[in-house]
Amino acid sequence: MARIEFNEVAHSYLKNPKGDADYALKRIHNAWEDGGAYALLGPSGCGKTTLLNIISGLVNPSKGKVLYDGREVAGLSPEKRNIAQVFQFPVLYDTMTVFDNLAFPLRNRGTAKAEVEKRVREVAEILDLTHFLNQRAAGLAADAKQKISLGRGLVRSNVAAILFDEPLTVIDPHLKWHLRRKLKEIHEQLKLTLIYVTHDQVEALTFADKVVVMYEGEIVQTGTPEDLFENPEHTFVGYFIGSPGMNFLPCKIDGNMARIDGAKIPLDEKTAVMARNVREKLELGIRPMYLEVTPFAVENGVPVQIVLIEDQGSHKIVSVKLAGQLVRAVVPEDKPVPEGKAWIVFPQQKIKLFADKRLLKSEGATL
Amino acid sequence: MKSKSRIFVLIIFFVFLFLPIYWMINMSLRTNADILHTLALYPTDPTFANYIKIFTDSDWYSGYINAIIYVTINTLISLTVALPAAYAFSRYRFMGDTQVFFWLLTNRMAPAAVFLLPFFQLYTTVGLLDTHIAVALAHCLFNVPLAVWILEGFMSGIPREIDETAFIDGCTMPRFFITIFIPLIRAGIGVTAFFCFMFSWVELLFARTLTITNAKPISAVMTRTISATGLDWGLLAAAGVLTIVPGALVIWFVRNYMAKGFALGRV
Amino acid sequence: MNKWENNKAWFFLIPVLIFVCFSAIIPLMTVVNYSVQDILAPGKTVFVGTEWYRIMLRDPRLHEALWRQFLFSGLVLLIEMPLGVLIALAMPKKGWGVSFCLVTLALPLLIPWNTIGTIWMIFVRPDIGLFGAAINEWLGIAFDHTRKPLDAWITLMFMEVWHWTPLVALLAYAGLRAIPEVYYQAAKIDGASSWATFLYIQLPKMRGVLTIALLLRFMDSFLIYAEPFVLTGGGPGNATTFLSIYLVKLATGQFDVGPAGAFSLIYFLIILVLCFIFYQVLQNVGKGAKT
């Protein structure tokens, strides 16, 4: 087990990277605490897998340092780093039995026979693989195969971390849930550092204590699932987390008001003060579930045109037009929704302002 | 493997591959007297006399033309015949399908020597002996099954929904085959043509037996030279070099496809 | 994939059947015809039943040729398979080297078989060949493939390895390239040595293509004719008289069509049995790959 630290790490697959665009990872400065369960979340091609491979040592970063418990590991092979990695597709040694598959990493390290036997049995027990032990690994179902891949990581005593690269892609939906729970159990039992790459927000939010959101080769935010939902630090996080994603409206500041074309939305004093000093492009962001839709004019209400109502069963998603912009609001199932003209209210404490895509926050404010 | 030992292995093997070919090229650029007189690692006094003789003596150059004619005829026949059969094997299940497929393959494996005598008799009887078509037909023995086999593989890779859609849209079978299906398996047809060309080009036994003078291919002319008294090594080497040229040209043209095909993990 | 059940598919086979009839069935029938008759004079034949078969089956020269054939094919596989895999492992994975290697490897495969014989005949002759001269004069070993059986065999093996190892290498290379990168990554993480990686990842994953290579090489080496015919003519003595060479000698040299016919069918039967095994193994390999 170890604390893994990234010190100004950047990586490009090209030999002579020129601009930022040539880098798969731009600048990562981050720490993974010992025993934490992390999810690395982001769209395809955002650099998640590269980051994972840098941790495990399959890829050497072009710049920066990787530290394990404060010790630099540059040039150390994956084997020496004592990392376990589970890939998107199950990787098995087809000709071996399940037992031999699990024993393989230990035998490569010259572990004594009795010890191998003991460890393999223990791990098989944890992963419910005991009865497959003498079968050929090639004939098993996808979920059992993934468990074996995981098992090959777990058999080694004191692995520094277990890395998962979208491990549930090939698993049937009803088994996904089971396997994810198994992972949580193992995490609680063994207190291992887990880093889990996925592009599925549900998977990330249910699995991890801390979610790391990546976007275009950068970490845009690290936080608990709740943090990410309530205080997205980057428009991408707002858009990516939650369904539907956050609404973003380009705006200008006028006194204590945010102006969106003709419409005026009142802001609280603090936010308005901060916003007045900003020179970059401003956007107003709000979660659809915090918007209130009313059929009649109310104080601070903004008149809108209703475009579409989608009934989702437990709630409705109402799309409205506000000064030419499309805004979505989530309305509880039991609340009636007017047709045609309506008013929406932006609760002041839920409004976030983003300058050049990054959250505007007061100096010294912590999240 | 360490990269040093990798390169070492490759260099050794490629030298081994090139040396005999190089030696033949070396011989082909020297006169017979010179060859028999001294053993030289490279031609000290290179001459194209051997090549000039081949290109001016109709006995020699017609050998190349004959070979190219029957190889081309064979490739065309093999493809035309194999296309519908491969389609049947890839799309339909019918009585005796696996048996027929296996039986076709056995012909690919049949020793040419077995068929030598009967072929000679058969083609003499039907008056085809010493014609290009005779050799082309004889080569069908192993090229047609091969073509069916390769094409079947390619066709099975194309979803049958395409056929079904076309038929639902009222397309007739011949029309579908020519306008839709054949363009889809272009690559497969190319590969098959390549293999048919290759196997017909390298074959000696049938080509030698079924021809006398008019359709005599270069390989037969060469073996005749070998058995003749007073061997002309330089000439033989030049003829040999010239038989490598078509193959080398074909490889040169498909080299990029080869690299791509291998990158995709297919042969 | 479920195929359409339709016996009308036979119509698609008509062209193939016509051609194969002409180039396989009729000739084969002729062979059968020969094998049961004795031609005393043109137009005068006697039915002799299984006489020729009994004679051929007891022919010591056929037995010798058959054992020689098995020995030859066995040696060929023993050398070419490991060597081909070794070459494939040594080949680069990207860059201009790939095209270069592929083109170079494919070259011997496209040289007419008699030219192969010619190349090697020129190459190994003690008087004019580099190989022959090098061994005779520089190493001082008397080497002559036209006089000594062992030398003839060594020469043939060199030629065969030269000619066909590239095919094994190409197939093995294709198999290697089909292995996803993650297998190598997992092996690194599991701390596997490169030998273990070869044994437990590369070799099992190449099983399919290697089976194909093995069987193709076995078949083709079993039918070998043109190269030894040009290089040694089956000699010295009968030292390199393989089945095909013996058959052609019998059929065209001595014009004993009766025994030749019987021999042909025996030969064909051996091939057929081997071919059946070949087909079965291939089918099983296909199944193994799918699970």
Side-chain angles (χ1 to χ4, degrees):
Chain A
M1 279 178 274
R3 179 176 191 271
I4 300 168
E5 235 176 305
F6 268 44
N7 200 336
E8 301 286 340
V9 170
H11 184 70
S12 169
Y13 287 102
L14 304 176
K15 273 214 181 87
N16 299 304
K18 303 230 165 58
D20 255 11
D22 286 349
Y23 279 88
L25 280 185
K26 289 196 183 103
R27 195 196 73 102
I28 305 286
H29 194 82
N30 196 41
W32 319 85
E33 298 298 336
D34 190 8
Y38 291 90
L40 254 178
L41 180 65
S44 303
C46 70
K48 294 172 301 203
T49 300
T50 306
L51 183 78
L52 211 60
N53 288 344
I54 289 176
I55 297 177
S56 61
L58 291 169
V59 170
N60 273 319
S62 343
K63 287 186 197 162
K65 287 178 188 163
V66 180
L67 307 166
Y68 278 36
D69 283 335
R71 195 167 59 95
E72 188 170 351
V73 291
L76 273 190
S77 67
E79 178 203 350
K80 298 258 168 59
R81 293 185 190 194
N82 215 357
I83 281 280
Q85 192 165 355
V86 179
F87 298 92
Q88 193 167 2
F89 299 98
V91 175
L92 295 178
Y93 304 102
D94 297 341
T95 49
M96 300 186 196
T97 60
V98 173
F99 184 94
D100 291 334
N101 257 285
L102 293 175
F104 190 63
L106 295 178
R107 286 177 181 160
N108 285 329
R109 286 169 171 76
T111 313
K113 214 174 160 206
E115 175 68 13
V116 171
E117 178 85 22
K118 189 177 136 250
R119 292 288 307 163
V120 171
R121 297 249 170 243
E122 275 171 24
V123 169
E125 194 61 44
I126 296 173
L127 293 170
D128 307 325
L129 287 171
T130 309
H131 8 267
F132 299 124
L133 276 180
N134 294 318
Q135 276 186 34
R136 277 272 285 258
L140 299 176
D143 61 315
K145 284 183 178 176
Q146 264 322 30
K147 283 203 246 175
I148 297 169
S149 306
L150 170 61
R152 282 209 312 273
L154 294 175
V155 281
R156 297 174 347 211
S157 47
N158 59 48
V159 273
I162 303 185
L163 313 180
F164 297 90
D165 192 353
E166 309 203 20
L168 302 182
T169 314
V170 291
I171 311 289
D172 284 344
H174 67 281
L175 287 171
K176 272 187 187 178
W177 176 82
H178 170 78
L179 223 58
R180 217 182 298 146
R181 210 191 46 180
K182 193 92 220 165
L183 283 180
K184 284 214 98 152
E185 255 175 57
I186 291 168
H187 180 237
E188 274 153 27
Q189 208 177 332
L190 305 177
K191 299 276 181 281
L192 290 167
T193 311
L194 299 185
I195 300 172
Y196 188 104
V197 162
T198 178
H199 61 253
D200 179 343
Q201 53 161 308
V202 179
E203 214 167 282
L205 300 178
T206 51
F207 169 81
D209 311 334
K210 278 264 179 77
V211 178
V212 179
V213 184
M214 288 189 69
Y215 178 62
E216 292 184 343
E218 281 176 281
I219 293 178
V220 287
Q221 188 171 5
T222 304
T224 59
E226 201 192 333
D227 258 355
L228 296 180
F229 190 81
E230 293 292 344
N231 299 306
E233 288 190 42
H234 189 279
T235 50
F236 173 75
V237 179
Y239 154 83
F240 199 67
I241 307 270
S243 172
M246 209 167 193
N247 293 305
F248 291 103
L249 301 162
C251 63
K252 293 215 166 63
I253 298 297
D254 187 359
N256 276 353
M257 296 286 196
R259 286 175 60 121
I260 301 165
D261 286 340
K264 282 186 187 167
I265 294 156
L267 302 172
D268 65 31
E269 182 71 31
K270 237 169 72 190
T271 315
V273 171
M274 277 192 303
R276 264 180 244 142
N277 301 322
V278 171
R279 292 285 155 268
E280 292 102 337
K281 207 182 102 205
L282 269 181
E283 278 171 290
L284 180 151
I286 186 142
R287 290 274 174 205
M289 63 179 290
Y290 296 135
L291 283 174
E292 258 175 69
V293 184
T294 56
F296 40 81
V298 286
E299 192 195 357
N300 294 334
V302 183
V304 293
Q305 194 68 34
I306 293 193
V307 181
L308 179 71
I309 301 168
E310 293 164 83
D311 200 328
Q312 303 270 317
S314 58
H315 59 268
K316 294 184 200 133
I317 298 173
V318 180
S319 301
V320 301
K321 221 165 201 165
L322 190 164
Q325 307 271 346
L326 208 60
V327 175
R328 283 192 286 193
V330 170
V331 177
E333 188 60 27
D334 50 355
K335 211 176 152 196
V337 178
E339 290 199 19
K341 209 168 161 58
W343 282 261
I344 54 173
V345 179
F346 290 72
Q348 276 179 13
Q349 65 279 18
K350 298 294 182 191
I351 292 176
K352 307 279 168 197
L353 281 183
F354 295 84
D356 196 20
K357 304 196 176 236
R358 289 184 191 277
L359 181 68
L360 209 54
K361 43 187 177 180
S362 50
E363 298 294 316
T366 48
L367 284 162
Chain B
M1 251 191 284
K2 295 261 158 45
S3 69
K4 257 190 200 156
S5 49
R6 260 168 200 269
I7 290 170
F8 183 70
V9 166
L10 281 183
I11 287 176
I12 295 277
F13 190 73
F14 285 156
V15 166
F16 171 62
L17 277 189
F18 277 123
L19 260 189
I21 297 177
Y22 166 73
W23 197 250
M24 188 166 69
I25 296 171
N26 176 11
M27 294 282 133
S28 74
L29 294 172
R30 300 165 63 187
T31 63
N32 207 35
D34 186 21
I35 292 169
L36 292 172
H37 188 251
T38 44
L39 188 84
L41 289 179
Y42 55 93
T44 41
D45 182 18
T47 166
F48 287 100
N50 298 315
Y51 290 99
I52 293 168
K53 177 150 173 38
I54 288 172
F55 284 119
T56 51
D57 184 344
S58 73
D59 256 10
W60 280 102
Y61 71 75
S62 65
Y64 287 100
I65 298 171
N66 289 333
I68 288 171
I69 292 174
Y70 73 67
V71 167
T72 313
I73 298 177
N74 170 266
T75 307
L76 289 178
I77 295 178
S78 303
L79 279 178
T80 328
V81 176
L83 273 170
Y87 184 78
F89 286 120
S90 81
R91 305 282 137 146
Y92 297 106
R93 201 169 39 214
F94 49 92
M95 238 165 59
D97 52 356
T98 49
Q99 286 80 355
V100 175
F101 198 67
F102 171 64
W103 173 69
L104 275 178
L105 280 183
T106 62
N107 287 315
R108 167 73 185 85
M109 301 299 168
V114 168
F115 290 93
L116 201 59
L117 207 54
F119 270 7
F120 187 78
Q121 296 261 318
L122 182 66
Y123 289 116
T124 313
T125 317
V126 295
L128 282 176
L129 198 70
D130 202 18
T131 59
H132 301 112
I133 198 92
V135 186
L137 283 177
H139 286 177
C140 283
L141 176 69
F142 48 80
N143 268 351
V144 167
L146 182 78
V148 172
W149 192 26
I150 300 175
L151 284 174
E152 197 265 344
F154 275 97
M155 288 180 183
S156 298
I158 292 183
R160 280 177 317 140
E161 282 73 16
I162 289 177
D163 309 33
E164 279 163 357
T165 317
F167 297 145
I168 289 166
D169 292 343
C171 199
T172 59
M173 180 55 104
R175 224 179 96 88
F176 161 74
F177 211 79
I178 291 163
T179 58
I180 299 172
F181 201 67
I182 287 184
L184 275 177
I185 51 159
R186 279 200 307 274
I189 292 177
V191 171
T192 315
F194 173 79
F195 277 103
C196 288
F197 176 92
M198 174 179 134
F199 281 108
S200 182
W201 177 251
V202 298
E203 207 274 343
L204 166 73
L205 194 52
F206 287 147
R208 192 172 56 114
T209 315
L210 298 178
T211 55
I212 302 159
T213 47
N214 292 332
K216 207 174 185 64
I218 184 63
S219 50
V221 180
M222 275 172 73
T223 43
R224 189 196 59 185
T225 315
I226 295 170
S227 42
T229 46
L231 209 51
D232 189 339
W233 292 110
L235 197 60
L236 184 65
V241 171
L242 289 177
T243 61
I244 299 180
V245 172
L249 279 180
V250 168
I251 301 177
W252 183 253
F253 284 120
V254 300
R255 69 188 190 286
N256 289 330
Y257 297 99
M258 270 173 78
K260 249 184 242 165
F262 275 89
L264 291 172
R266 294 194 205 104
V267 192
Chain C
M1 197 155 85
N2 288 322
K3 294 179 183 177
W4 300 314
E5 187 105 37
N6 193 342
N7 283 331
K8 283 191 189 130
W10 273 97
F11 285 110
F12 287 110
L13 295 188
I14 289 172
V16 159
L17 293 180
I18 291 172
F19 271 86
V20 178
C21 263
F22 192 70
S23 61
I25 296 180
I26 297 174
L28 212 57
M29 287 303 113
T30 325
V31 177
V32 173
N33 198 20
Y34 287 147
S35 71
V36 293
Q37 295 180 1
D38 192 1
I39 304 169
L40 298 172
K44 194 170 172 214
T45 55
V46 181
F47 180 76
V48 293
T50 56
E51 179 78 24
W52 293 128
Y53 290 93
R54 270 180 276 151
I55 290 175
M56 282 322 290
L57 283 173
R58 265 184 255 124
D59 180 9
R61 287 200 291 166
L62 190 145
H63 294 174
E64 282 167 25
L66 183 64
W67 291 126
R68 223 174 268 140
Q69 188 73 70
F70 273 114
L71 180 65
F72 180 73
S73 296
L75 283 175
V76 160
L77 293 181
L78 224 55
I79 300 172
E80 287 181 8
M81 295 302 293
L83 187 60
V85 172
L86 182 72
I87 305 292
L89 287 172
M91 276 168 68
K93 290 197 183 70
K94 56 185 178 213
W96 62 271
V98 177
S99 287
F100 173 78
C101 288
L102 293 177
V103 166
T104 313
L105 286 175
L107 189 61
L109 300 174
L110 281 172
I111 299 176
W113 294 343
N114 67 309
T115 306
I116 304 258
T118 310
I119 289 175
W120 278 85
M121 184 169 62
I122 294 174
F123 195 57
V124 298
R125 275 184 72 99
D127 53 347
I128 61 165
L130 183 63
F131 185 84
I135 290 185
N136 277 293
E137 286 171 28
W138 301 337
L139 293 178
I141 301 163
F143 183 92
D144 188 351
H145 71 279
T146 57
R147 298 221 183 81
K148 295 187 194 159
L150 182 65
D151 295 359
W153 269 77
I154 292 173
T155 310
L156 266 183
M157 289 314 296
F158 263 104
M159 181 179 71
E160 183 68 15
V161 166
W162 183 85
H163 187 184
W164 289 110
T165 305
L167 179 77
V168 180
L170 286 177
L171 284 169
Y173 185 65
L176 276 179
R177 294 306 309 274
I179 303 174
E181 187 61 28
V182 279
Y183 279 88
Y184 296 113
Q185 297 183 338
K188 263 194 209 165
I189 284 165
D190 290 340
S193 61
S194 49
W195 174 245
T197 308
F198 172 70
L199 214 57
Y200 298 116
I201 295 176
Q202 293 173 321
L203 212 51
K205 291 279 166 201
M206 281 196 288
R207 198 185 56 176
V209 281
L210 286 185
T211 315
I212 292 172
L214 185 93
L215 294 164
L216 276 179
R217 283 311 305 127
F218 181 72
M219 287 296 161
D220 284 342
S221 66
F222 214 80
L223 307 178
I224 189 166
Y225 174 80
E227 300 97 316
F229 170 77
V230 173
L231 190 63
T232 62
N238 277 327
T240 54
T241 300
F242 300 115
L243 286 174
S244 280
I245 292 183
Y246 184 41
L247 178 54
V248 175
K249 268 187 192 167
L250 208 61
T252 60
Q254 305 165 4
F255 243 94
D256 287 339
V257 292
F263 181 6
S264 294
L265 289 175
I266 295 167
Y267 192 3
F268 198 43
L269 205 68
I270 297 173
I271 292 289
L272 217 61
V273 171
L274 294 173
C275 199
F276 183 71
I277 299 169
F278 169 84
Y279 194 65
Q280 291 299 320
V281 172
L282 263 190
Q283 295 265 312
N284 285 333
V285 167
K287 264 179 220 149
K290 265 170 213 155
T291 49

